[in-house]
Structure formats: structure tokens, C-alpha cells
Amino acid sequence: MSLPPRIVFAGAATVDLIFKVEALPPGPGKVLPTALAQVAHGMATSAATAAARLGGRCALITRIGDDMMGDRFLAEVGAEGVDCRQVRRFEGVATPLSAVIVDQRGERLIVPYYDPALGSETDWIDAKAIAAADAVQVDIRWPEGAARVLDIAKAAGKIALLDADVGPTQTIVDLARRATHVVFSEPAALAVSGCETIVEAVRALTKSFDAFIAVTGGEQGCFWAEGDRVFQRRAPEVEAVDTLAAGDVFHGAFTLALAEGQLIADAVCFANTAAAISCTVFGGRLGAPGRAAVEELMAQTTTPVIAA
């Protein structure tokens, strides 16, 4: 049997303290949480661990501090089966940390901190490992690293996917021009395109970039363009308790599915299902499912592809 695809993820790494509360605080004061989880997170990190749970051979390129939080991060991500040999540690620098408050509806408030001393250098990134991978996925939180990884992968003829979440518009545009595939969050797609609806944004972004374009819309599922047509596939209905990292799980699953050679519609269904399942568990990426759970729910639900 052939080996599973090898995917390199590059971008954000944090340790998150996730507090579950009845409702998001309306203003200053004290709110008592009903649950707490401490999790190694970050867009690229969560996508990598999600893809690893689904059977991918995954490696992570990111930056953390040489501190106790960094020790925890490496232990936790390594235990998920992710290759952390290209996680660079900086002496005297704090590992990025986020405080996350999640309410009973799954909505959240996130307060992240990235130490400026992490720097932006990329000369330490192993170009050979990137070129040898079947696919790469980057986020926008470390633009310099994302640009280098996308450029190397694209030059090697590999899948080079950008997770385009909310951020500086020019950063998103620059990275999207380097990618073979771009999956936008709805807010980022509307901001970059200047459009008012997802369908309009998909059409506009497809004209703007020489790449496959898709947009995730939460419960609406995923929209994408094939030729002149825009298609939509909804996510299966679940009882969501925590939407944190659902988008990251989608991206990890989608990149894995593409690397496996799945058709776009099938890859979207696979990623939608993985992301939906993750929302049923408190703790962000801790809810990312294994392959069997995704395939079981896919077999039980029908989410047709519709022309948007």
C-alpha cells in the first residue's frame, strides 16, 4: 500500500487557555467559567493535528519560545503524531498565548499575544522538506514564513494552500498570489473582494487570483468555483458546543483530501464533516475527529452539491 500524503503546515502556534461560560461578558467584571481546557493551538497547528488524526503524515513549521509553555506545546503536538523538527524555539522569548472565552452557543472571544521577539526570519526553514511534501498549507499569522513555504511548494509543482482568515488585506492578497489553492473565511472573503455575499465574493476572487478559490461559511458549508460556476455544499447538522478551531480542522482535512487526490466536491464534504464533528466537543481542536468518525457520519448524511 502507498504511504499517506505528507503535508507541511506553516504558521501560527499558541497555547490557549479556553474558558467555557454561560454567556460572553457584556463588559467589565468577573465571569466564572464552567469548564477550562489548556490546548496547543494556532491555525497551522490545529490544522496539522487535525490532518494527522485523519491519517496524514504531517509536519509543522512554526516559532515558539524556550519556556515551559513551549515544552507543553511540543509534547502535546508531538503526541498527535506531528513532526515537530522544524518548530524553532527562541531563547528568552515567550511562547504565544491566547485567552479564549467560549459561550454556550459556541461563540467566542479570543485575546492572543505574540511576542515581537519571535522575529520574522525564514532562512532556517528546510526547503528540501517542503519540496518533498505532497502539499503545504500556510496561514497569514507569519507572512514571511508563509510566503517562503508557498513559493518553494509552488515551484516544485505541489499543492500550495493558503488559509486566508481575517487579517491585513495586502498580506492576504500577496500570499494568495503565491498559492495554488486559497480557502477564505467568509469575513476575509468579503473584506478582500468588497462584495456583500459569499457567492459574489467567490466570483470576484476567482477573477482576481490564478488559484482555486473557496470560501467557508460556517453552517452554510463551503462555496467554491469551477470554471464560471459557483457551487455550495452544506455541512452536516450537529449540536455545536464550541466552534473554536472548526475552520482549522476544515483546512487540515481539505488539504489532506486534495493530497489524496479526492475530487473537489468530495474533499469539501470530507472537510465539512470533520469540522462539524469538531464543533460537538469543548476544547477547540481537541474535538477534531479520526477518520472512522468522519466516514461514518458521511455515510449517514446526504449533503448535495448545489449550484449557488
Side-chain angles (χ1 to χ4, degrees):
M1 296 179 63
S2 60
L3 291 173
R6 182 157 184 81
I7 308 172
V8 173
F9 295 82
T14 64
V15 174
D16 288 1
L17 296 174
I18 309 172
F19 302 90
K20 186 175 183 180
V21 299
E22 295 291 335
L24 294 180
K30 180 183 290 185
V31 179
L32 297 179
T34 59
L36 168 67
Q38 185 170 322
V39 189
H41 254 186
M43 295 166 67
T45 302
S46 298
T49 55
R53 288 187 178 187
L54 292 168
R57 293 182 298 148
C58 301
L60 179 63
I61 301 175
T62 192
R63 307 158 300 157
I64 60 174
D66 189 18
D67 55 7
M68 290 180 62
M69 286 296 188
D71 293 341
R72 179 186 178 94
F73 179 92
L74 286 177
E76 190 173 326
V77 176
E80 294 282 3
V82 175
D83 181 347
C84 293
R85 287 177 292 179
Q86 289 200 75
V87 175
R88 185 172 182 183
R89 306 190 71 175
F90 291 81
E91 186 175 355
V93 177
T95 293
L97 184 68
S98 291
V100 184
I101 303 175
V102 181
D103 70 12
Q104 293 284 44
R105 298 177 301 166
E107 298 303 320
R108 72 267 190 185
L109 173 67
I110 304 174
V111 184
Y113 175 74
Y114 294 88
D115 194 323
L118 283 172
S120 57
E121 299 81 7
T122 64
D123 55 352
W124 53 272
I125 294 176
D126 185 352
K128 291 183 179 179
I130 297 168
D134 297 293
V136 304
Q137 182 192 308
V138 305
D139 62 48
I140 66 170
R141 302 301 177 223
W142 175 28
E144 298 84 1
R148 176 167 165 78
V149 170
L150 288 173
D151 287 348
I152 294 170
K154 193 171 182 180
K158 304 301 175 65
I159 295 168
L161 188 143
L162 170 64
D163 176 355
D165 201 359
V166 175
T169 297
Q170 190 53 51
T171 296
I172 297 173
V173 169
D174 175 66
L175 294 176
R177 288 172 176 164
R178 301 169 185 266
T180 61
H181 297 69
V182 186
V183 181
F184 289 84
S185 67
E186 179 180 358
L190 300 183
V192 173
S193 68
C195 297
E196 296 184 356
T197 69
I198 293 179
V199 173
E200 292 172 348
V202 172
R203 291 196 174 103
L205 293 167
T206 299
K207 294 178 181 178
S208 298
F209 302 109
D210 184 21
F212 166 84
I213 299 294
V215 177
T216 57
E219 294 179 355
Q220 299 180 77
C222 180
F223 299 74
W224 71 95
E226 292 187 37
D228 296 329
R229 303 184 68 186
V230 176
F231 297 94
Q232 175 190 10
R233 192 159 203 170
R234 291 185 174 275
E237 294 184 6
V238 297
E239 186 174 343
V241 298
D242 184 1
T243 61
L244 182 67
D248 305 329
V249 173
F250 178 96
H251 285 82
F254 185 69
T255 302
L256 174 61
L258 291 180
E260 291 176 344
Q262 294 189 35
L263 298 176
I264 293 296
D266 296 333
V268 167
C269 183
F270 182 73
N272 274 346
T273 306
I277 295 173
S278 75
C279 294
T280 65
V281 178
F282 170 70
R285 71 158 190 87
L286 296 181
R291 189 100 185 194
V294 173
E295 292 177 346
E296 180 179 358
L297 183 56
M298 287 173 62
Q300 294 174 354
T301 59
T302 300
T303 55
V305 175
I306 60 176

